[in-house]
Amino acid sequence: MPASSLDDPGAPARDERPPRAPVGLRERKKRVRRDALVDAAQRLVLERGLDAVTVEDVCAAVGVSPRTFFNYFSSKDDAVLGLEDFSVSPEVVATFVTGGPTGVLLDDLELVVADVLAHQVVAPERMARGLEIVQREPHLVARHLAWVEAHHAELVEMFDARRAARPFVPDPELLALVVMSLLRATTLAWQQHDGDGDPADHLPGVVDQLRALLQDTRAPDPAAR
């Protein structure tokens, strides 16, 4: 099969995908509290409207202090939207920017996306509530776009660093969009399977579809147009 522009020439063959590290008790407790804050914020906003709900109202519903709330979210809007931590683990970034772990750009990109997904737990019911709230409160779209743009810039910086260490063809801006698309497509695949397993379980299939597209070099059939 021909190599795609996202594969580094001379890199080793693809290896088995490493298993995800188990989530520790502390992280599970943080996840439960975070989910409780999102659920309370969304429920209260659907009942009262966004402007009628305060951070203190959300905290009272969950039984935590505002200080604890701000350990999880920077604003009420972020809690209502259920914005997830998008950060890539420092050890994953360190390996990626030096050209690892496999040396094949698309394979390494998949591992970056898998790491991001490992920090996220997307419940279909929360997504549905979030969409309903955005329809009622359309100005929340601006906050979501700002969140996306901030993380887009972080990804571009990471790709710039890798290209300096191990040159590649694709533009870092394009690669940042690829990451965002993989995250979205993986979440959609998970939803289409009724939320079976974790979203990350569906990432390999999405990446395989992208790889098939990049490797499809057949000439188009004019008669098919």
Side-chain angles (χ1 to χ4, degrees):
M1 251 180 217
S4 76
S5 61
L6 291 182
D7 288 337
D8 295 342
R14 295 179 68 200
D15 199 353
E16 291 293 328
R17 295 178 176 95
R20 295 193 302 276
V23 179
L25 177 61
R26 182 171 178 271
E27 288 302 316
R28 290 198 298 271
K29 288 182 176 179
K30 288 175 62 177
R31 166 56 58 182
V32 169
R33 178 167 290 173
R34 182 196 175 285
D35 289 347
L37 288 168
V38 173
D39 290 341
Q42 291 182 338
R43 176 177 54 78
L44 290 171
V45 168
L46 287 172
E47 290 174 357
R48 307 177 189 175
L50 185 66
D51 293 338
V53 176
T54 65
V55 168
E56 288 73 18
D57 291 333
V58 177
C59 292
V62 178
V64 300
S65 67
R67 180 176 179 179
T68 297
F69 175 94
F70 288 113
N71 286 336
Y72 292 85
F73 300 101
S74 62
S75 69
K76 175 185 70 177
D77 290 357
D78 287 5
V80 171
L81 290 169
L83 295 182
E84 288 275 3
D85 177 20
F86 189 87
S87 61
V88 185
S89 300
E91 59 272 18
V92 173
V93 173
T95 300
F96 183 84
V97 299
T98 56
T102 72
V104 178
L105 184 55
L106 184 53
D107 290 349
D108 294 343
L109 201 62
E110 179 180 354
L111 295 175
V112 168
V113 175
D115 183 70
V116 173
L117 288 170
H119 303 156
Q120 302 182 353
V121 178
V122 186
E125 62 272 17
R126 290 192 192 98
M127 292 183 67
R129 288 197 302 262
L131 289 173
E132 182 179 352
I133 290 170
V134 168
Q135 289 175 344
R136 296 187 187 183
E137 311 281 353
H139 68 276
L140 287 173
V141 173
R143 171 58 195 139
H144 187 266
L145 291 176
W147 176 84
V148 170
E149 183 56 34
H151 292 302
H152 178 92
E154 293 172 7
L155 290 169
V156 170
E157 183 179 350
M158 182 181 70
F159 292 130
D160 279 334
R162 173 163 174 137
R163 187 158 68 171
R166 188 184 182 99
F168 53 77
V169 174
D171 186 274
E173 291 279 352
L174 173 62
L175 292 177
L177 291 173
V178 169
V179 169
M180 296 294 190
S181 297
L182 287 173
L183 288 167
R184 176 61 176 158
T186 300
T187 302
L188 286 175
W190 174 69
Q191 287 181 282
Q192 290 166 0
H193 286 81
D194 299 322
D196 181 44
D198 295 325
D201 296 335
H202 302 274
L203 175 61
V206 171
V207 172
D208 286 344
Q209 292 179 58
L210 176 59
R211 183 173 283 106
L213 173 64
L214 293 172
Q215 294 175 340
D216 187 355
T217 58
R218 293 172 297 177
D221 181 1
R225 295 183 179 179

